[in-house]
Amino acid sequence: MPHIQNHLQQLEAEAIYVLREVAGQFESPVLLFSGGKDSITLAWLARKAFAPARIPFPLLHIDTGHNFPETLEFRDWFVAEMNAVLYVHRVQDSIERGRAVEETGPAASRNAIQTVTLLDAIRERRIDCAIGGGRRDEEKARAKERFFSHRDVFGQWDPKNQRPELWHLFNGNHAPGEHFRAFPLSNWTEMDVWHYIAREGIPLPSLYFAHPRRVFFRGELLLADTPFVRLSNDERAEERFVRFRTVGDATCTAAIESHAATLEEVVQEISTSRITERGVRLDDKRSEAAMEDRKRQGYF
């Protein structure tokens, strides 16, 4: 439909503008890459922004060690296809070095301690801007973000101490040790991302489309039966047709029952869903302010 295409053109132009501003204002930026649809879309936009040259900044993946195999396989294929540089920093290394302490218990996850690995990577590589695929519609803490989001010398975020961005004028000045996060997809919605993926023919991991998988209920959410998750005595895994709306750590990323196996079917399913995208993230349900608390500590 013409109005959707015009809307996507405006969003694309805005995101490309932000990406070019990052390249112009910062000396050593990186693009945070998880292998999920938002970071894939972001990398695709970066290629468009600087074509025919290569993307002028590397991709950075913070690997929890609890990824779905499909995500890692796709990551390596996609990075090669994009002719990009990939940095991988592993949470397991942070644990072995005593920098992070792994959670224990039936609901243990490495999702929160990714922050330690990310901040260490930023310091070690002297990164002054980390570009992320966060969108304001995802979660209320995300809605407080600016396009350029300042972080102090400890990597912490203060939502009350962000800089104005009148007329899309971005201020990337920072003191030594400080850095920025940049969010070119801020004004996109989940539906915008899917419409854009469909328009551009952007490849995605198979996890996003319906497939048979052994899953089990933990509360109201369906988790995949993986080596990283321990089932309790009253939890039983069974095979169902599912797909994932967001791709992350297998210990906290829930699936939804679905038979949507094509882009068109996925878009139709999302348009009628009454569950938000972050509503299938177990880590966001730990408290009402879970995301904001993690972001204040330096999370993505």
Side-chain angles (χ1 to χ4, degrees):
M1 291 179 282
H3 70 281
I4 292 178
Q5 295 307 319
N6 290 339
H7 177 62
L8 293 178
Q9 283 296 109
Q10 292 171 2
L11 290 174
E12 180 188 70
E14 179 180 68
I16 286 175
Y17 173 77
V18 175
L19 287 163
R20 289 173 176 167
E21 282 290 303
V22 169
Q25 292 197 40
F26 296 98
E27 294 183 3
S28 56
V30 296
L31 190 153
L32 299 174
F33 189 79
S34 66
K37 69 181 187 313
D38 297 324
S39 62
I40 291 168
T41 299
L42 195 54
W44 189 273
L45 286 161
R47 184 169 70 172
K48 274 195 164 189
F50 302 103
R54 294 175 65 183
I55 299 175
F57 31 73
L59 277 54
L60 171 63
H61 181 210
I62 303 301
D63 183 355
T64 66
H66 292 168
N67 296 285
F68 292 100
E70 296 96 326
T71 304
L72 297 181
E73 291 169 11
F74 180 89
R75 179 200 69 186
D76 294 340
W77 173 85
F78 185 77
V79 169
E81 190 72 12
M82 298 288 284
N83 192 27
V85 175
L86 175 69
Y87 297 155
V88 179
H89 284 247
R90 295 176 172 82
V91 172
Q92 183 63 39
D93 293 339
S94 298
I95 294 170
E96 292 176 359
R97 288 159 51 194
R99 293 283 299 140
V101 178
E102 188 155 20
E103 293 182 357
T104 58
S109 171
R110 290 183 174 182
N111 197 52
I113 60 174
Q114 289 182 90
T115 300
V116 175
T117 310
L118 172 61
L119 294 179
D120 284 351
I122 287 171
R123 281 190 290 269
E124 290 168 15
R125 295 188 179 274
R126 298 183 178 179
I127 294 164
D128 53 4
C129 184
I131 310 164
R135 308 185 322 270
R136 291 182 181 134
D137 76 317
E138 284 183 87
E139 202 270 347
K140 57 188 177 183
R142 299 278 198 208
K144 299 178 182 180
E145 288 283 15
R146 305 287 173 87
F147 282 103
F148 275 26
S149 182
H150 177 262
R151 298 297 197 270
D152 65 17
V153 292
F154 301 105
Q156 295 176 333
W157 171 69
D158 181 0
K160 297 179 180 179
N161 189 30
Q162 299 299 312
R163 298 169 183 180
E165 296 180 340
L166 304 175
W167 306 291
H168 273 43
L169 296 175
F170 304 134
N171 180 358
N173 290 329
H174 58 282
E178 298 177 345
H179 73 278
F180 274 79
R181 308 288 172 87
F183 300 102
L185 303 184
S186 288
N187 289 331
W188 296 52
T189 66
E190 183 186 10
M191 284 297 292
D192 292 331
V193 172
W194 280 106
H195 281 305
Y196 189 75
I197 287 168
R199 190 190 84 172
E200 297 286 304
I202 301 174
L204 292 174
S206 58
L207 292 166
Y208 281 108
F209 304 98
H211 59 284
R213 182 178 291 269
R214 285 182 60 79
V215 293
F216 65 96
F217 276 101
R218 177 156 288 173
E220 297 179 352
L221 298 181
L222 273 177
L223 288 182
D225 183 16
T226 68
F228 317 123
V229 180
R230 187 191 311 172
L231 276 67
S232 63
N233 293 333
D234 59 344
E235 292 173 336
R236 296 288 181 272
E238 58 181 314
E239 188 171 282
R240 298 189 181 212
F241 270 87
V242 300
R243 70 176 193 85
F244 294 84
R245 284 179 68 178
T246 177
V247 173
D249 191 300
T251 63
C252 58
T253 305
I256 59 170
E257 291 194 77
S258 173
H259 288 279
T262 66
L263 276 173
E264 293 75 14
E265 291 170 346
V266 168
V267 169
Q268 177 62 30
E269 184 178 83
I270 293 172
S271 68
T272 59
S273 175
R274 300 183 67 180
I275 301 173
T276 65
E277 182 181 12
R278 299 292 305 192
V280 293
R281 292 296 297 251
L282 204 64
D283 50 324
D284 285 353
K285 297 184 179 297
R286 295 190 174 193
S287 76
E288 287 191 8
M291 173 63 82
E292 181 155 341
D293 290 343
R294 293 199 304 273
K295 284 176 64 61
R296 285 179 183 273
Q297 296 165 6
Y299 188 73
F300 303 104

